[in-house]
Amino acid sequence: MDFPSFLTSLATSFILFVILMFLFTWLSRKSGNAEVYYPNRILKGMNPVEGGYMTRNPFAWMREAISSSETDIINMSGVDTAVYFVFLATALGIFVFSGIVLLPVLLPVAATDHTIRTVNTTSKGTFNELDNLSMGQVGNSGARLWAFIVATYWVSIVSYLSLWRAYKHVAELRAKALMSPEVRADQFAILVRDIPPVSESQSRKEQIDSYFSAIYPETFYRSMVVTDNKKVNKIYEELEGYKKKLERAEAIYAESKNTKPDALKPSHKTGFLGIIGEKVDSIEFYNDKIKELIEKLEAEQKVTLKEKQQSSALVFFNSRVAAASASQNLHAPIVDTWTVIDAPEPRQLIWTNLSKKFYERIIRQYVVYAVVFLTIFFYIIPIGFISALTTLDNLVKLFPFLKPVVKLEVVKTVLEAYLPQLALILFLALLPKFLLFLSKAEGIPSESHVTRAASGKYFYFTVLNVFIGVTLGGTLFTSFKSIEHDPNSIFRVLAKSLPQNATFFLTFVALKFFVGYGLELSRIVPLIIFHLKKKYLCKTEAEIKEAWAPGDLGYATRFPNDMLIMTIVLCYSVIAPIIIPFGVVYFGLGWLLLRNQALKVYVPSFESYGRMWPHIYTRMIATLILYQVTMLGYFGVKKFKPTPVLFPLPIISLIFAFICQKKFRRFFTSPALEVVSHELKEVPNMEIVYRSFIPPCLSAGKPDEHQFEDALSHVSKTGSSSV
């Protein structure tokens, strides 16, 4: 990439961001767009814009984001979102404090070294002039390399201090959330799996009740046996579908009656896609179907609760201390029976996974790991091919007929500025759903855990395929012939190309924060989709609300994407320090812009009280070690004799990770009894707590209490009001 292409990429990305920011200001002022720009506030019953829409200006959102506190974030979007901002602030702090030393020291050191420049005199305003500010331009020996050695240690020390402080802060956030005086249903329940086969003299309910009432005679409240809900859930979803269709048909009829009093009732054909079959009155048809399905649902509920009980259950206690204690205890001498964990929130439960057996879960986990490994391994081939193919020189070699087009200066500049980065971003967009599917297939019981698992898979995929794959792919493709004649030259080729690949990653990071964050702030795509749906598809209030439902921050992909940027910037921070300001802008702008989105737009779909943090921390340590190994390898290829002084760094990182894990991690897997022993502001209604866990397919139709007698326990209601 030449220098004009780099400037074109940077300038157009910045201009796009400014345009999108002003577009956001204009669009967010219109009250008809409030559902797109302020859905979180609307759902909480708050005024979308305090002071009125016309008080908005292009920088009002920045002022509000900066002035907001961590408590504001927790109140609006939960602890998990606050933890995400701790991550952003930690990454930002690492790059700011690293850059304070690296930029004023390393850039002059590299720029004033003439050892290599006297050999490669290609200075006609090309991007190679920017490459001259990298470590690649420093000779293979001499005192100048000591500056880069010290810089490597400085970045590592800054990272250790930042990560320690962040881990401690997140632990405090989690503790504060768990000791809250608010009554939260999940704090009074545990999830029990791998229950042994029931004896002939007992029912499953009696087996569970007698087991836990014997161990916890004073605090055991009730149990709920998990059932196979596939069939009943299918009927329930069909029933809900017909209810929505009925509501829509009635809305259409009411609307037509307003304009035409003698309008006919809506009708449709009962055959394939409503285009063939008997024509019927839609309202009557849907009413009949609903009555039929309600009867069918109630019958299936009774069968499910009595005959489809599984070897797992939710057990409730009238004290959250008792529930926390029970979730951490070993309940049987054989570890594959009566396995217990603290219960997730009711909305998080993946009911189909609760009944998976102990060894089945282990086998599924290893099979998924194997599939992920193969996916990463084989994906690196097309990723490397794309990184090589999307350089103009290689593109012309493979497709000579493009040569006349590529020679045009405007086309060449635009293609060099955007083609490789856009191709990579689009290619990566295909993967997240597949990884979420694989994570669910492991038998994980909760949505938050699935998100954490998918996030980890996606992180390792992006690091191995994007960071390493792009670097190796482009280099090996262009240097294949020289490597073929001299296989030993592969290390020299890679060492030479590592600083040069910083140019690709500079534009990649710039594209991500300017264009990516510009689209995030303006919400152009959700806005267009909402208004199209509202005008042409939505007929009821429920459909309109569904059309503007914002969803959550999307941690499964957002964390790994941010970690990829952190990996790129950290690994190149010493090799090409010019990349550090790009990392600072990415995480600084991300902290600011996403703070606005968390306060006003996104609505969390779960709350895990910061359980994501140990996984984020592990990825950050992995990134730090990758950076240290990269520097070791790079100094080694340069044949710098004092290189062994870097050997302690990866070992120190492993020791640091071990200490943090021993000191903090246990609290993130189990709630501390000291924390949950704090008093509640009111006596919990255990019946409400208990019923919040009943799945919708079993509670729909307002079934009588006797329907649950075969699966739900009524033992030990005495003392249920105590905490």
Side-chain angles (χ1 to χ4, degrees):
M1 179 186 288
D2 58 22
F3 196 59
S5 296
F6 172 72
L7 289 181
T8 299
S9 173
L10 203 59
T12 52
S13 296
F14 176 72
I15 291 169
L16 275 172
F17 176 77
V18 173
I19 291 172
L20 290 169
M21 185 176 71
F22 279 96
L23 192 62
F24 158 74
T25 304
W26 177 60
L27 291 171
S28 63
R29 285 181 176 182
K30 299 182 178 296
S31 58
N33 296 334
E35 294 89 349
V36 176
Y37 294 105
Y38 309 101
N40 195 8
R41 293 180 64 87
I42 291 172
L43 289 172
K44 286 182 169 58
M46 303 169 68
N47 181 16
V49 182
E50 294 179 6
Y53 290 97
M54 297 312 294
T55 62
R56 313 302 292 164
N57 62 66
F59 305 102
W61 66 272
M62 294 185 185
R63 184 178 64 252
E64 292 167 0
I66 292 171
S67 63
S68 64
S69 66
E70 195 168 57
T71 302
D72 295 329
I73 294 293
I74 293 172
N75 291 338
M76 294 298 294
S77 290
V79 178
D80 290 330
T81 304
V83 168
Y84 174 64
F85 285 105
V86 173
F87 158 68
L88 291 179
T90 302
L92 178 62
I94 289 171
F95 294 133
V96 167
F97 287 109
S98 297
I100 287 172
V101 173
L102 268 58
L103 289 171
V105 173
L106 298 188
L107 292 183
V109 168
T112 56
D113 190 293
H114 302 287
T115 308
I116 297 179
R117 191 176 301 173
T118 55
V119 179
N120 300 326
T121 55
T122 58
S123 54
K124 290 186 179 181
T126 67
F127 201 67
N128 288 331
E129 283 300 291
L130 203 54
D131 286 335
N132 289 338
L133 299 176
S134 73
M135 187 178 167
Q137 298 304 309
V138 180
N140 291 348
S141 60
R144 290 174 183 266
L145 284 177
W146 276 104
F148 293 90
I149 291 278
V150 174
T152 305
Y153 267 92
W154 172 250
V155 173
S156 298
I157 292 169
V158 168
S159 299
Y160 297 142
L161 294 175
S162 300
L163 287 170
W164 179 270
R165 183 181 177 187
Y167 217 141
K168 189 176 180 181
H169 179 56
V170 174
E172 291 170 355
L173 284 180
R174 177 171 167 81
K176 188 176 179 180
L178 291 177
M179 68 173 63
S180 167
E182 301 290 335
V183 175
R184 293 172 177 167
D186 50 291
Q187 290 188 307
F188 293 87
I190 60 173
L191 174 61
V192 185
R193 305 166 90 180
D194 309 307
I195 299 173
V198 63
S199 64
E200 294 182 2
S201 60
Q202 283 184 314
S203 67
R204 176 69 75 185
K205 172 182 74 73
E206 291 170 340
Q207 177 197 25
I208 297 168
D209 290 347
S210 60
Y211 186 85
F212 282 97
S213 60
I215 300 175
Y216 307 97
E218 300 297 327
T219 54
F220 172 67
Y221 172 72
R222 204 170 181 181
S223 66
M224 178 188 296
V225 180
V226 172
T227 52
D228 181 357
N229 300 334
K230 288 180 182 177
K231 189 172 180 180
V232 71
N233 194 56
K234 185 177 179 181
I235 298 170
Y236 169 75
E237 289 177 352
E238 188 179 359
L239 173 62
E240 290 299 303
Y242 277 117
K243 285 181 179 178
K244 289 180 181 179
K245 288 178 180 179
L246 174 62
E247 187 180 0
R248 180 182 176 84
E250 289 175 340
I252 292 171
Y253 182 51
E255 185 180 343
S256 62
K257 288 279 284 183
N258 290 335
T259 56
K260 192 176 179 182
D262 58 344
L264 296 175
K265 288 185 177 182
S267 61
H268 71 280
K269 292 183 178 180
T270 58
F272 179 71
L273 295 177
I275 56 178
I276 59 173
E278 180 187 357
K279 192 172 185 179
V280 297
D281 181 307
S282 296
I283 294 176
E284 290 183 6
F285 178 80
Y286 295 143
N287 271 316
D288 291 341
K289 278 289 185 181
I290 288 170
K291 290 176 184 177
E292 177 187 331
L293 285 170
I294 286 176
E295 293 178 2
K296 189 176 179 182
L297 178 66
E298 290 178 355
E300 184 58 35
Q301 285 174 342
K302 293 178 181 179
V303 172
T304 298
L305 292 168
K306 187 173 183 179
E307 300 178 7
K308 298 183 179 180
Q309 298 176 10
Q310 305 292 301
S311 59
S312 56
L314 290 157
V315 175
F316 299 87
F317 297 85
N318 54 38
S319 162
R320 60 181 184 176
V321 173
S325 178
S327 70
Q328 302 173 45
N329 291 334
L330 181 67
H331 286 80
I334 301 176
V335 295
D336 61 349
T337 59
W338 297 103
T339 56
V340 174
I341 60 172
D342 51 323
E345 294 176 302
R347 58 179 172 171
Q348 287 194 51
L349 284 168
I350 303 174
W351 292 92
T352 53
N353 282 348
L354 300 187
S355 59
K356 298 287 190 297
K357 303 286 178 135
F358 183 84
Y359 292 108
E360 181 187 355
R361 298 196 298 271
I362 293 175
I363 293 170
R364 280 172 170 266
Q365 189 178 51
Y366 284 115
V367 169
V368 166
Y369 287 170
V371 172
V372 170
F373 172 78
L374 292 174
T375 303
I376 292 173
F377 180 79
F378 286 109
Y379 234 68
I380 202 168
I381 298 172
I383 286 279
F385 181 71
I386 284 176
S387 67
L389 183 64
T390 49
T391 60
L392 291 189
D393 291 339
N394 294 335
L395 205 61
V396 170
K397 286 179 185 177
L398 291 175
F399 306 105
F401 62 87
L402 293 177
K403 193 172 184 179
V405 179
V406 171
K407 276 189 173 181
L408 297 173
E409 193 62 30
V410 176
V411 175
K412 179 183 177 184
T413 300
V414 172
L415 287 178
E416 285 191 332
Y418 287 113
L419 182 62
Q421 293 80 11
L422 285 175
L424 184 59
I425 289 169
L426 291 173
F427 199 68
L428 287 174
L430 304 173
L431 194 67
K433 287 188 177 180
F434 177 62
L435 295 180
L436 281 168
F437 166 77
L438 287 178
S439 298
K440 279 191 177 182
E442 290 183 44
I444 292 171
S446 68
E447 294 288 349
S448 60
H449 193 172
V450 165
T451 299
R452 295 195 296 271
S455 173
K457 295 176 180 67
Y458 195 54
F459 164 73
Y460 291 113
F461 176 88
T462 54
V463 168
L464 291 171
N465 284 285
V466 179
F467 176 65
I468 297 175
V470 167
T471 302
L472 295 182
T475 303
L476 295 179
F477 190 92
T478 54
S479 310
F480 184 75
K481 287 186 178 179
S482 62
I483 294 172
E484 187 179 21
H485 289 99
D486 182 13
N488 293 327
S489 68
I490 185 171
F491 297 105
R492 293 194 301 273
V493 170
L494 292 177
K496 182 181 177 182
S497 70
L498 204 56
Q500 294 171 352
N501 274 303
T503 61
F504 169 85
F505 289 121
L506 278 172
T507 51
F508 179 77
V509 175
L511 192 64
K512 290 278 282 185
F513 65 67
F514 277 139
V515 179
Y517 283 146
L519 290 172
E520 173 70 57
L521 179 66
S522 64
R523 289 181 62 79
I524 291 295
V525 175
L527 180 71
I528 293 171
I529 292 173
F530 167 65
H531 282 295
L532 286 175
K533 284 184 175 181
K534 185 178 180 181
K535 185 172 183 179
Y536 298 108
L537 300 177
C538 299
K539 297 296 181 182
T540 67
E541 288 299 320
E543 289 177 339
I544 293 174
K545 187 174 180 179
E546 190 176 340
W548 60 259
D552 59 19
L553 273 166
Y555 299 115
T557 55
R558 194 173 294 276
F559 273 123
N561 284 329
D562 291 342
M563 283 302 308
L564 172 63
I565 302 300
M566 185 177 179
T567 303
I568 291 169
V569 177
L570 195 63
C571 288
Y572 278 96
S573 60
V574 174
I575 294 174
I578 196 68
I579 203 172
I580 293 177
F582 289 81
V584 170
V585 174
Y586 178 87
F587 286 101
L589 188 59
W591 183 92
L592 183 67
L593 188 145
L594 291 171
R595 209 167 182 85
N596 175 80
Q597 305 302 81
L599 290 168
K600 298 169 185 173
V601 179
Y602 293 115
V603 178
S605 58
F606 58 77
E607 177 60 85
S608 67
Y609 310 109
R611 277 194 168 177
M612 190 78 170
W613 176 254
H615 300 265
I616 300 170
Y617 167 81
T618 301
R619 317 296 176 235
M620 294 174 85
I621 286 291
T623 294
L624 182 62
I625 293 174
L626 178 61
Y627 150 73
Q628 292 164 345
V629 171
T630 299
M631 295 309 302
L632 260 172
Y634 190 68
F635 275 107
V637 169
K638 274 185 166 289
K639 299 179 180 178
F640 185 53
K641 290 183 180 179
T643 298
V645 301
L646 292 178
F647 281 134
L649 279 179
I651 299 171
I652 293 171
S653 294
L654 291 172
I655 294 172
F656 175 76
F658 177 78
I659 293 171
C660 286
Q661 182 179 17
K662 290 298 181 184
K663 186 176 181 68
F664 298 112
R665 190 180 179 95
R666 176 70 188 275
F667 177 47
F668 287 85
T669 57
S670 304
L673 301 184
E674 174 190 320
V675 168
V676 296
S677 63
H678 282 67
E679 291 185 7
L680 296 169
K681 70 177 183 181
E682 62 182 7
V683 176
N685 185 325
M686 291 305 300
E687 192 64 18
I688 293 176
V689 168
Y690 159 75
R691 287 197 166 275
S692 67
F693 278 90
I694 299 175
C697 60
L698 294 179
S699 61
K702 297 182 180 179
D704 295 329
E705 181 69 22
H706 72 270
Q707 284 187 267
F708 294 91
E709 63 184 5
D710 292 301
L712 312 180
S713 167
H714 300 274
V715 175
S716 187
K717 287 191 178 182
T718 57
S720 63
S721 61
S722 64
V723 292

